[in-house]
Structure formats: structure tokens, C-alpha cells
């Protein structure tokens, strides 16, 4: 009816300073069917009952809306949905006015984007109430049976909305350029605890609002800062809280709480270090929630409450960089947000750079340098494997699933871009620039183009860029002017790997007593990619790597075992693939299996056995990979 360009041009012409308009109105978000350029949501009142029996959430989402200037009075409100059962939609004209039922329709289902919920609203509408329920297959939710938890006695529910799964949980304008505040009530079984990535009631033994039979309890939450939909998050389970510092703490199942508190002991110090560098922490508390093993990511930066894989609990605090990473998103990502998923590197590349600055402050530059070198290795591997169009920082993702573009390009090429600027201009200048950037764009969503303008004006002060900006941001490959992170410690480790491989040293002669996970990873990655089974056995007999309980080391080792045909690790491989759900660990192992002779059958068999314990996001990625033909061996 009214084409997008017309409205966009009007918005640009009038030049309003709405959040949405700040994010380059001429480029619609290819991953949302909503039209925030016409009618935009600003606040959500959400009330849902969690039903473990039917694996559904049932309730209502009440959206406050505004019309953008210049848009026609009959423009509908369009929300993204996926698999939602809509019961009724009502509109409210003004505070206190009676809600009136309004017509709506669900548009055709797009396999990637879901279906638009098109709601016809009177021109004076201020609030739209959608009564609905989620599907048991909602892609944002994982309903974990008791066997899939640490305690094995209670079920567990958690959400993962990034990138475009919020729409399966909540009818919403599911684009990171749309921000809203919210209040939520979750009604859940009274013997479990409900948490959200928002301000909640202080944890206490007896939640209020129990029903007459004491079977259900209501939990209330408030998010007072405008956030994008992908940062809505909830979990329900047998959870307990332990304080770690003044503003920090951890939620975990009772069986895991002690280990979690040990592992995260440095969080308060990391928060202080991050604030010194990047400006005030604006979200109040910073807590961490330890999830069941099926969680498909290492961590997820849900505001005030990072969600974390239990594999982070290595027992030696070796995975602190992961927490530094999620904490850093409190600035890069949650405060200043990528406007579309094509701008994902503004979230992740910046966060990896910030993460390493936090690690440098709290654990020393030596450690940060090792992390950078490992990152460079991951980037080089990715560049060797990915087609050119997937090597671009600011790619065109139209028609593509943003979950599948989570590769080292956004993370490591993005971070290396900032490292390179720091090498050219000095770390202090980049540091000052970043601090101002977070302030300038706080609580806004920006595009790569907007960042480039800001960079040219503020860091380059209108002068010629000290790096090849075009190559960095818009072209594949590694730009010739890239900085080369180096670590003297790693050079020694690589030399040892060489001497072992050439037979100059026996495994037993390697002094590994003070090696951390980082040294182990670098040692293993410095070896030629295909050792033979005898060489693997020689290392294993001394270092017992097959038995390593450290998921990072185990994953690296098991991948090498597959490629080497080292069958003594077969049992451990199956066990690992059946007990870990983190996609970053699963994918390289399935990939390796699919490329060795006879591996496809093993991959398919293990997958059939283990998939019930995986998250739908991981299942989808593995299925897609299995569906591709194996390369000729
Ligand atoms: N935000 C990401 C996770 C994510 C990205 C989820 C894209 C869905 C779509 C999170 O901050 C992240 O990067 N996690 C990493 C850990 C990290 C230390 C690099 C992971 O899960 O591996
Ligand atoms: Zn991240």
C-alpha cells in the first residue's frame, strides 16, 4: 500500500531523532518483516505462565506504540512471529480507555523469518495487547528434561533469542534497531526459581504470589533501559544464588553453585577494570547464570545476567576470557547495538577487543597477547575455509540465517581491525575514542556506515585513514596492513612442538607443569594438522589428553584424534559429543568426522543418539552440515 521507500524518505527528510531513524532508514533490516519506520513499539508489559507439561508459555504481550511522523493513519502494526498461536488482539486508545478487539492476520510463513502479524489499529491507538501462546517447538526455548540438568531432579527452561528467535517467544519487532523497555511477570511452578535478564526481586526462599495450592508463583521483572528484542531472556529451574561481590553474583543449580562461585571469583575485578576503560556500567547488577550442558553457546550477553555454558567451569579459572567477553558486551552490543545482523561485527569484533583489554588489566598483557595469537590462528583457518563473500566484515545477509554467520570473521577480523588501529595510532587514542563512542551512541543501534562516519570524524579527525578502510570493512581476506599479534611465550611453545614432532624431544621431556589451557591449545595447534595414530598415542600416554576434563583442550584433541585415526579416543569422543551442547565444540568435531573415511556413519549414529540433548539451534547447524556431501577422501 505505502511502499517502504516513501516512508523512509519522509523519515530521512524530516530528520527526526528516533532510535530507529538513527540507524540508516534507507536500509531496511532484511531479517524482520516488521515496519518500525511506520508504527514502532516503545515499551512492553509481558505476562506469561510457564507450563512444563505442555512445553508452552501462555499469556499476553501488551505493546506501547508510537507512529512515526509522516506515516499514514491507517498503517498497521506489524510484529514478527514464528509458530505463535494468536488468541486475540485488542487495542487501547488512551490510558484508562477500554480495550477493543481489532482485526489481525498472520501473513505467509517465510521459512527463515516466520510470519508477520499484521494488526489493523485505529489511528488513536497507544497500546496493543496480543493474547497468545508459544509452540512447544519455539526456536528460542529449550525445555530441558530433568536428566539434562546437573541435579537430574527438576526440569529446566531457558531462552536464547539472538539472533532472530525472540519472535518464537514473543510477537515483537524483532530487529536489533528497535529498542524498548519492559516489565514482565512470569508465573512458574512454585518449587522452581524464575530469572530474567532484567531487574528482579531479590532472591529469597519464598517467592510471593503463590496460588492457593502453593503450586505456582509469580515473579516480577523490570528492564528500565531500552533494549533490542534479542536481549530478552528468561530461565526457570532449580536455581540458587551466590553473591560474588557488591554488584556481581552467580545463579546455578545447587549441585553446581560451589564450582561456579570458585570459577567466577574475579568477576567483580573485571567489572571494575571494564568501567575504568569504557565508562560507567549502566545496567546495575552483573550476574551470571550457569545453564545445562545443552546451551548451544559459550556465553550470551543478556543484560544484567550473562547466560553461560557449564563447560566454562573448568575448575582452574582458565575460561575467564569468556566472562570478560560477555561482560564487555555491556558496552559493545548492549549499550551500542548493531542495527542489523550485517553489522554484527560492531557487536562481536569490538567485544573481542574489549575482552582482551579487560584480560590485560586483570590477568596481564602476556595473557592477552596469547589470546590474540590464538584468535589470529582461528581467523587464518576461517579465511582458508570460507568463500570470499563470507570473509567480509559488513556482508550482505539478505536471505541468509544470521546464526550461520557466527564465524571468526566478525569476531577476530573485527578485533584485529581495532588492534591494527591501536598499533598505528597508539592504544591510548583508540581507548579514548572507544570511551567516547560508547557515550555518544549509548542505548542506540547503529550501522557500519554510521560507525565509519564517526570513525573518520573522531579518530581520523577528517584526515586520511591510517589503514585501508575499504579493504577492512568491505572486502574479503586479511588486509595487507593488518597488525600481527605476537607472544614470546607462544613462540617458545611452538618451538617445543617442533622439537617434539621432529623427534628431538620425547613427550616426557616436555616441561608442561605450568601450562594453562592457552599453552596447551597453542602447542596442539602448532603441530602439523595430521599427526598419525602413533604420534597421538605417544602424547596421550604422557599427558592423558583423551581424559582431559577441560572442554577446550578436549575438543582440540578429539578433532586431531579423528583426523589421525587415533581410535583409542573413540569412546571419549562419543561421550563428549553426548554431554556437550556448545555449537563451537560440536561443529568442528562433526566436520572432522564427515571428512575422514568411514566417519560419516559414525557422525550420523552419534548424532541420532545425542541430538535429544542438543538445542534446536545446534541440531539445525549439524543437520545442515550432514546434508552436505562429504568431500572425496
Ligand atoms: N552474542 C554471542 C553469542 C551469539 C552470537 C549467539 C550470535 C547467537 C548469535 C556471545 O557473546 C559470544 O560471542 N559467545 C561466544 C563466546 C566468546 C568467548 C567468543 C561463544 O558462544 O562461543
Ligand atoms: Zn560475543
Amino acid at each position: 500500500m505505502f511502499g517502504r521507500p516513501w516512508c523512509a524518505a519522509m523519515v530521512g527528510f524530516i530528520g527526526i531523532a528516533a532510535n530507529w531513524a538513527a540507524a540508516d532508514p534507507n536500509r531496511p533490516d532484511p531479517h524482520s518483516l516488521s515496519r518500525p519506520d511506520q508504527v514502532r513499539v516503545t515499551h512492553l508489559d509481558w505476562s506469561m505462565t510457564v507450563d512444563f507439561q505442555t512445553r508452552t508459555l501462555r499469556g499476553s504481550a501488551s505493546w506501547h506504540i508510537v507512529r512515526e511522523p509522516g506515516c499514514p493513519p491507517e498503517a498497521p502494526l506489524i510484529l514478527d512471529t514464528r509458530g505463535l498461536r494468536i488468541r486475540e488482539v485488542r487495542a487501547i486508545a488512551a490510558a484508562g480507555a477500554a480495550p477493543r478487539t481489532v482485526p489481525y492476520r498472520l501473513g505467509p510463513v517465510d521459512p527463515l523469518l516466520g510470519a508477520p502479524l499484521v494488526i489493523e489499529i485505529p489511528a488513536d491507538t497507544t497500546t496493543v495487547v496480543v493474547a497468545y501462546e508459544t509452540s512447544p517447538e519455539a526456536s528460542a526455548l529449550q525445555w530441558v528434561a530433568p536428566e539434562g540438568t546437573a541435579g537430574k531432579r527438576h526440569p529446566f527452561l531457558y531462552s536464547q533469542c539472538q539472533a532472530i528467535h525472540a519472535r518464537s517467544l514473543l510477537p515483537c519487532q524483532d530487529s536489533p534497531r528497535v529498542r524498548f523497555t519492559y516489565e514482565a511477570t512470569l508465573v512458574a511452578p512454585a518449587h522452581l526459581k524464575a530469572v530474567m535478564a532484567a531487574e528482579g526481586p531479590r532472591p529469597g526462599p519464598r517467592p510471593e504470589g503463590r496460588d492457593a495450592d502453593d503450586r505456582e508463583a509469580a515473579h516480577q521483572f523490570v528492564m528500565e533501559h531500552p533494549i533490542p528484542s534479542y536481549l530478552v531472556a528468561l530461565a526457570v529451574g532449580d536455581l540458587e544464588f551466590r553473591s560474588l561481590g557488591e554488584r556481581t553474583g552467580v545463579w546455578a543449580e545447587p549441585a553446581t553453585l560451589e564450582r561456579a562461585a570458585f570459577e567466577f571469583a574475579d568477576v567483580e575485578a573485571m567489572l571494575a577494570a571494564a568501567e575504568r576503560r569504557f565508562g560507567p556500567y549502566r545496567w546495575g547488577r552483573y550476574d551470571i547464570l550457569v545453564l545445562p550442558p545443552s546451551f548451544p553457546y559459550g556465553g550470551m550477553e543478556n543484560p544484567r545476567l550473562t547466560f553461560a555454558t557449564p563447560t566454562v567451569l573448568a575448575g582452574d579459572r582458565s575460561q575467564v576470557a569468556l566472562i570478560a567477553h560477555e561482560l564487555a558486551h555491556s558496552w559493545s552490543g548492549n549499550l551500542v547495538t548493531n542495527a542489523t545482523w550485517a553489522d554484527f561485527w560492531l557487536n562481536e569484533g569490538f567485544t573481542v577487543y574489549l575482552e582482551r583489554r579487560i584480560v590485560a588489566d586483570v590477568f596481564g598483557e602476556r595473557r592477552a597477547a596469547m589470546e590474540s595469537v590464538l584468535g589470529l590462528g582461528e581467523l587464518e583457518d576461517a579465511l582458508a575455509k570460507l568463500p570470499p563473500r563470507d570473509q567480509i566484515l559488513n556482508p550482505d545477509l539478505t536471505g541468509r540465517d544470521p546464526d550461520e554467520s557466527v564465524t571468526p570473521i566478525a569476531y577476530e577480523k573485527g578485533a584485529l581491525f581495532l588492534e591494527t588501529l591501536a598499533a598505528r595510532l597508539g592504544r591510548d587514542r583508540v581507548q579514548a575514542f572507544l570511551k567516547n563512542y560508547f557515550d555518544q551512541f549509548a542505548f542506540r543501534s547503529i550501522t557500519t556506515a554510521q560507525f565509519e562516519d564517526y570513525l573518520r570524524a573522531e579518530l581520523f579527525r577528517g584526515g586520511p585513514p591510517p589503514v585501508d578502510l575499504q579493504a577492512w570493512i568491505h572486502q574479503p581476506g586479511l588486509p595487507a596492513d593488518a597488525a600481527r599479534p605476537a607472544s614470546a611465550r607462544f613462540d617458545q611453545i611452538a618451538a617445543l612442538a617442533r622439537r617434539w614432532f621432529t623427534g628431538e624431544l620425547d613427550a616426557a621431556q616436555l616441561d608442561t607443569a605450568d601450562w594453562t589451557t592457552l599453552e596447551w591449545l597453542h602447542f596442539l595447534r602448532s603441530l602439523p594438522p595430521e599427526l598419525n595414530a602413533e604420534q597421538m598415542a605417544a602424547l596421550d600416554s604422557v599427558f592423558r589428553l583423551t581424559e582431559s576434563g577441560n572442554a577446550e583442550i578436549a575438543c582440540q584433541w578429539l578433532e586431531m584424534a579423528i583426523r589421525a585415526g587415533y581410535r583409542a579416543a573413540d569412546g571419549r569422543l562419543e561421550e563428549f559429543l553426548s554431554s556437550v551442547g556448545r555449537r563451537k565444540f560440536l561443529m568442528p568435531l562433526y566436520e572432522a568426522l564427515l571428512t575422514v573415511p568411514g566417519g560419516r556413519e559414525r557422525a550420523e549414529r552419534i548424532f541420532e543418539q545425542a541430538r535429544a540433548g542438543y538445542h534446536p539451534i545446534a541440531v539445525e547447524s549439524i543437520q545442515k552440515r550432514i546434508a552436505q556431501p562429504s568431500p572425496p577422501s
Side-chain angles (χ1 to χ4, degrees):
M1 182 176 32
F2 292 90
R4 200 183 287 260
W6 180 83
C7 240
M10 275 306 273
V11 170
F13 176 71
I14 298 167
I16 52 157
N19 276 325
W20 177 80
D24 190 1
N26 297 317
R27 264 178 50 186
D29 182 343
H31 294 111
S32 173
L33 299 167
S34 70
R35 292 293 307 267
D37 55 322
Q38 296 189 332
V39 182
R40 185 168 58 85
V41 303
T42 60
H43 177 84
L44 167 69
D45 288 305
W46 198 34
S47 179
M48 300 302 281
T49 297
V50 177
D51 186 341
F52 279 94
Q53 253 79 57
T54 58
R55 299 192 158 191
T56 58
L57 264 57
R58 199 171 45 250
S60 67
S62 174
W63 287 106
H64 297 202
I65 59 164
V66 293
R67 283 174 183 280
E68 290 299 348
C71 281
E74 65 274 30
L77 169 66
I78 305 180
L79 301 173
D80 291 296
T81 72
R82 184 188 285 136
L84 299 182
R85 180 122 67 97
I86 309 295
R87 297 189 170 279
E88 187 188 29
V89 183
R90 290 177 298 167
I92 301 174
R100 281 170 294 170
T101 303
V102 292
Y104 68 87
R105 64 186 163 82
L106 277 171
V109 178
D110 178 290
L112 183 59
L113 305 178
L117 173 61
V118 182
I119 305 170
E120 306 297 339
I121 47 169
D124 57 359
T125 302
T126 60
T127 307
V128 175
V129 187
V130 183
Y132 73 102
E133 97 188 33
T134 60
S135 145
E137 280 78 47
S139 60
L141 294 176
Q142 178 142 41
W143 300 86
V144 183
E147 311 83 71
T149 67
K152 315 267 181 234
R153 288 186 43 223
H154 300 285
F156 200 109
L157 166 68
Y158 67 86
S159 67
Q160 166 59 43
C161 286
Q162 195 181 11
I164 53 172
H165 302 287
R167 63 194 65 178
S168 73
L169 176 61
L170 170 72
C172 60
Q173 295 186 323
D174 200 7
S175 166
R177 71 172 37 158
V178 178
R179 310 181 79 100
F180 55 90
T181 52
Y182 74 80
E183 289 182 32
T185 303
L186 291 182
V187 176
H191 63 289
L192 302 178
K193 179 84 198 166
V195 295
M196 285 193 79
E199 195 174 343
R202 295 295 305 149
R206 285 187 66 84
E208 286 169 20
R210 290 169 175 233
D211 66 0
D213 301 335
D214 227 22
R215 282 180 286 116
E216 287 189 321
H219 307 254
Q220 261 141 14
F221 305 92
V222 182
M223 172 45 71
E224 62 178 10
H225 301 294
I227 56 148
S229 52
Y230 79 89
L231 293 178
V232 171
L234 62 89
V236 181
D238 182 17
L239 290 170
E240 279 181 10
F241 178 80
R242 173 84 60 92
S243 173
L244 295 172
E246 211 177 306
R247 283 181 292 172
T248 54
V250 58
W251 287 96
E253 289 186 60
T256 327
L257 193 62
E258 193 64 45
R259 283 165 59 214
F262 170 83
E263 206 78 31
F264 302 144
D266 299 309
V267 170
E268 190 78 30
M270 292 199 278
L271 176 56
E275 279 192 309
R276 276 195 298 277
R277 282 186 176 272
F278 310 118
Y281 179 74
R282 313 234 201 171
W283 304 91
R285 293 195 54 83
Y286 180 76
D287 297 325
I288 301 166
L289 169 67
V290 181
L291 291 168
S294 62
F295 185 53
Y297 294 102
M300 176 65 212
E301 67 272 26
N302 296 314
R304 294 175 63 97
L305 185 63
T306 280
F307 282 23
T309 167
T311 63
V312 74
L313 307 177
D316 56 6
R317 298 186 181 155
S318 58
Q319 314 295 306
V320 282
L322 189 148
I323 298 303
H325 178 96
E326 304 312 333
L327 172 64
H329 273 305
S330 307
W331 288 264
S332 45
N334 299 3
L335 194 57
V336 182
T337 307
N338 51 207
T340 73
W341 298 114
D343 307 299
F344 184 55
W345 77 282
L346 294 180
N347 275 19
E348 297 299 344
F350 280 55
T351 294
V352 171
Y353 182 85
L354 267 56
E355 161 202 330
R356 295 192 180 137
R357 290 298 89 213
I358 297 169
V359 167
D361 288 351
V362 181
F363 304 99
E365 286 287 355
R366 197 172 93 137
R367 175 132 181 200
M370 291 195 279
E371 307 261 11
S372 292
V373 175
L374 286 177
L376 178 63
E378 286 167 23
L379 176 58
E380 284 169 340
D381 284 353
L383 290 170
K385 283 190 199 123
L386 293 170
R389 69 168 187 167
D390 293 341
Q391 301 180 7
I392 296 171
L393 275 186
N394 183 205
D396 180 3
L397 296 181
T398 309
R400 304 185 64 188
D401 182 350
D403 282 351
E404 302 299 329
S405 62
V406 184
T407 72
I409 302 302
Y411 288 79
E412 295 296 343
K413 190 175 174 183
L416 192 56
F417 171 63
L418 294 177
E419 280 295 342
T420 303
L421 290 175
R424 294 285 175 287
L425 304 173
R427 253 203 218 291
D428 292 349
R429 240 175 92 184
V430 170
Q431 174 64 45
F433 165 79
L434 286 174
K435 194 169 181 179
N436 290 335
Y437 165 75
F438 294 132
D439 219 42
Q440 172 79 26
F441 294 104
F443 298 113
R444 289 168 62 188
S445 304
I446 73 165
T447 61
T448 298
Q450 284 175 297
F451 168 72
E452 278 189 66
D453 287 347
Y454 185 76
L455 182 74
R456 286 179 194 276
E458 296 298 317
L459 189 61
F460 306 158
R461 296 172 190 151
V467 298
D468 186 346
L469 264 193
Q470 183 63 20
W472 273 103
I473 297 177
H474 302 287
Q475 287 168 12
L478 190 60
D481 58 15
R484 299 291 304 186
S487 153
R489 169 81 168 160
F490 268 10
D491 292 344
Q492 292 166 359
I493 300 286
L496 288 178
R498 226 174 359 257
R499 291 172 63 196
W500 172 78
F501 180 73
T502 56
E504 195 185 317
L505 283 179
D506 267 354
Q509 289 173 290
L510 295 169
D511 183 6
T512 60
D514 64 345
W515 287 12
T516 69
T517 308
L518 301 179
E519 280 96 349
W520 275 111
L521 288 178
H522 190 62
F523 176 79
L524 295 173
R525 290 177 190 174
S526 299
L527 295 169
E530 266 148 63
L531 296 187
N532 60 40
E534 295 77 61
Q535 290 164 319
M536 293 291 289
L539 285 177
D540 210 11
S541 68
V542 179
F543 302 119
R544 304 267 157 230
L545 291 162
T546 300
E547 288 153 39
S548 173
N550 179 307
E552 291 279 351
I553 295 173
C555 177
Q556 177 66 40
W557 175 253
L558 291 170
E559 183 183 341
M560 293 167 67
I562 296 168
R563 296 192 193 282
Y566 177 54
R567 306 304 298 258
D570 280 9
R572 173 71 176 124
L573 174 66
E574 276 194 43
E575 179 199 68
F576 188 82
L577 288 174
S578 310
S579 60
V580 165
R582 187 173 170 188
R583 209 170 55 150
K584 176 183 146 184
F585 295 143
L586 298 178
M587 293 314 288
L589 295 176
Y590 279 106
E591 173 72 38
L593 277 174
L594 289 167
T595 43
V596 298
R600 170 166 288 273
E601 290 70 38
R602 285 166 73 200
E604 287 173 357
R605 184 176 50 76
I606 297 172
F607 178 59
E608 276 319 308
Q609 234 167 267
R611 60 181 288 172
Y614 295 162
H615 190 284
I617 293 175
V619 169
E620 166 127 7
S621 300
I622 299 165
Q623 266 172 336
K624 273 189 192 160
R625 180 57 194 88
I626 287 183
Q628 290 165 22
S630 299
S633 44

